[in-house]
Amino acid sequence: MRLKIKLALISIIFLSSCSIFKVVKQKPTLKQTIIQFKEGIESNKFGFAKYPYVKIDSIEVDSINKIIRINFNKKLSYTPLRENNVKTIYSAVNSFFNDYSNEYKISIKTLGFPIEKLIPNFFRKNRYEFDTSRLPKTTLKNRIPIVRNLNKGNYPTNGLYNTNIALWHSHGWYYNFEQDRWMWQRARLFGTVEDLGPMAFTIPYLIPMLENAGANVFVPRERDTQIHEVVIDNDYASKCYLEKSLNSNFHWETGRGNGFSYGTPPYPANYNPFLYGTYRTISTSYKENAEAVYTPDIPETGYYAVYITYHSSQNNVSDAHYTVHYYGGETEFKVNQTIGGNTWIYLGTFKFKKGFNQKFGNVTLGNDSKETGKIISADAVRFGGGMGLISRNGKTSGRPKFVEGARYYLQYLGMPDTLVYNLNGDENDYKDDYQSRGEYVNYLVGAPSGPNKKRSVKGLGIPIDLSLAFHTDAGITEHDTTVGTLAIYSIEDFDTLKTFPDGVSRLANRDFADILQTQITNDIRRKYDPVWNRRELKNAFYSEAARPNVPAVLLELLSHQNFLDVQFMLDPRFRFDVSRSIYKAMLRFLATEYNSNYIVQPLPPTYFATEFIADRKVKLIWKPQKDNFEPTAVAEKYKIYTRINNGGFDNGIFVDSTFYVKENLTPGTIYSYKVTAINDGGESFPSQILSVSWVNNKKPVLIVNGFDRIAPPAKVGTNKFAGFLDFLDSGEPDKVDIGYTGMQHDFNPDSKWKTDDIPGYGASYANYETEVIAGNTFDFPFIHGKSILDAGYSFVSCSDEAIMDSSIVMKNYFTVDLILGEEKTTHWQKPFADSLWGVQFKTFPLNLEKRISEFLNSGGNIFISGAYVASDLFLQKNNDDLTFAKNLLKYQLDADHAVKTGNVISIGNGLLPDDFNFSFNTSLNDSIYAVEAPDAITPVNGSTTVLRYSENLFSAGTAYTGDYNVVVFGFPFETIKGQRKRNVIMKSVLNYFGM
């Protein structure tokens, strides 16, 4: 019995051991493991294969060195690589090859590089692990900037000082040989076109941000929107060009070589105006004893970019002293004439008064220099952008230079034709245009990084640190998502080399692209859209990414074809924020390249206000604005800029505190002020502009600027009808809009593209595409103030924020003039931002209503004007707002969009004489914003109608007198046409208040 039991136990143990043996997994061969790994990648079982079609190109087993090299296709490189996800990828792969982990080391590659090598230097925690092959071989220490503004007073040592950046905004108006006409390179969609849309980011926002951080910026398209141009040249001796000398030992003479000559435009193909003129030279002196004076005859008062040109050589000085005398002051520059000769060099944009003004309308070049024994050269000076000068097949564009493509501006810049802008036998301007931009960068730099056809060309010797091509490409999504942001770079040049001509690795391109795309998408997701689409980080042989022999990226910010993307693109707030993201990306990239610490420039000051604290003495107060995304963007000091009457702003003064006192005001003079914030990263954009004037009386008027709104046009979105309704609300440009073509006229989402002339859904008119459209200048206290001063009264001004937080107490004033312009409640593009930041630009925020109520209940007088003074309250249907309007301000809404024309008549009732008539602006133009939706307001609770729209006799203005006095216009006062009319109306309002 015991034997049987023992045998049974042995059998059980044997059988058990056999079953155990059966379930033990056999070690697969390495070949089997590789096959299974490939199958896993094909079936997308690995999380790191984010993008579709991530495949394995090859797997190499190095049995000698014991390495398994896994080469993925380029799709894996679309993923931004960081130390953590690289670690995750290796961990996942090593786990799969665990059976061979003791025998083989795994190497994972894409684009021919180990993935760990594709981590940008900026995102590596330890600088000792940086890839030094992609860092520049030079430093910034020994550089001398090509242009230094001596009146800036601060050089951003932790910003972009002494760097040079090339950038451009997409395509441009070009000549099509096949169709024998000038045309855009893209279709007009949603009120804009890609040839103009990116320009609405770069010119008003990005370029000034970079310059405020200390960079010199080079643009292969005209940056000045001024349609007038005046060129003063030594080859055309006249009263406009004069040479002076106080010492016979120092005299001007003609230099050896070619200079600029304006000649007789239009210029034929490949004509280079820098080959047909002369230039002048003079020896330097420690103290100035000679100068050249350029005095233009300005055709129209306004702002003009100032460009200079000179001959450069090693015998030239690096500190040529230029002074721009403009309508408002003078600004001095030092120019490094050892580089950058025989092309137009931008100094700045200044206000000039119409006519020939020798005192405050010229540019002078002195011969003073710290580098004695050298020479200074003088050639031409240009004022303004002007109209197109290049003829193609006997036709000029007939348009301002700023809308033309780079190919034509580069000809005017004196670039060599076959090396830069004529790369296709003078037969294809379309190709020449996009190919020329990168070659312009190369010619700026010169040997060994010159144009790709001949890199040994000397060029202009300007060390460009990076270049950016800013575009918006096409694409449509069917859901409530954006097409989003694509970044394109190239790790190969035209010789398929992966280094720049100076030996630096072109992986620097990927670094820049990754930093740029990351900064943009992160900032947009935090503020606008949490699901903003980050598209590929793409290595591709695109001309604008591959041609530049410096770090370069082609940015496709969003899709100009997708309705949701364009809702963002047309919003000035988005334009500012994205431009700031691009600037920050450039700052971070270059700080990494040159091993320097960086600080982000501050945001503009807010809560700005002015008040008289004694006779002829005004105090300015403001607050810094916090940047929630950038802890370094903190103001350390401030700069106050002053404008006298109608002139331009001066160069400013520095203050360390958040207030400034100005004494000894000249009676009857209007002083206007704006404030910027400063730190070691640069200078912010300015605050709004406030104006004051003191005259000898005791009743100053307080002007409150409640017009802060900047916004895109009104929109509608359904399955059958979607787009922008400019006729309901054309939006509010930030100062000006330069990207508008005309109203959208195709609203059918199913309408298909046929040609760029018949682009289907989104198609738009072209009647405004060469115009600069005026918007919110943030300078309307000046317009109101001129009329108040004409009536004989002093005035100060403040922001509505300063009223709402009681920095300024309204009850201290007898009369308040509240500017509401086109202020109205404005939503963001998505509810996410509404919930995060709140709707903006309500006409009467709760705290403002409280302050006004306190003011009127104490017996005050208030004049209110704006296009949405009633509709923004009554259409929101908030009971508190309705009570405020009807019971306190004594009016209610009769009709929004009350009239199409802006003609108004007085009906007396104590304000203006019977039958007094005037008009306000209702059409888009370059001087004052259009009022497309004025309110009709009717009197209630004791007020009366004092104005009517002549178009339909709706009530246009109401007035109330009692314990307090109120006058309200359903349109903005500042849009009334004619200074005399505004003066009469303002004086009548003040008289109504008993002033």
Side-chain angles (χ1 to χ4, degrees), residues 501-516:
D502 63 359
V504 173
S505 169
R506 290 179 66 95
L507 283 178
N509 286 351
R510 181 182 167 93
D511 278 18
F512 179 31
D514 195 346
I515 295 169
L516 179 68

Side-chain angles (χ1 to χ4, degrees), residues 245 247 249-253 280-291 315 317 366-369 371-377:
S245 180
N247 188 321
N249 293 324
F250 294 87
H251 57 276
W252 293 93
E253 57 186 32
R280 305 283 283 170
T281 66
I282 195 169
S283 298
T284 58
S285 172
Y286 190 76
K287 291 185 179 181
E288 180 183 310
N289 53 40
E291 67 177 4
N315 291 325
V317 298
N367 74 328
D368 55 308
S369 171
E371 303 171 20
T372 57
K374 288 195 171 186
I375 62 169
I376 288 172
S377 71

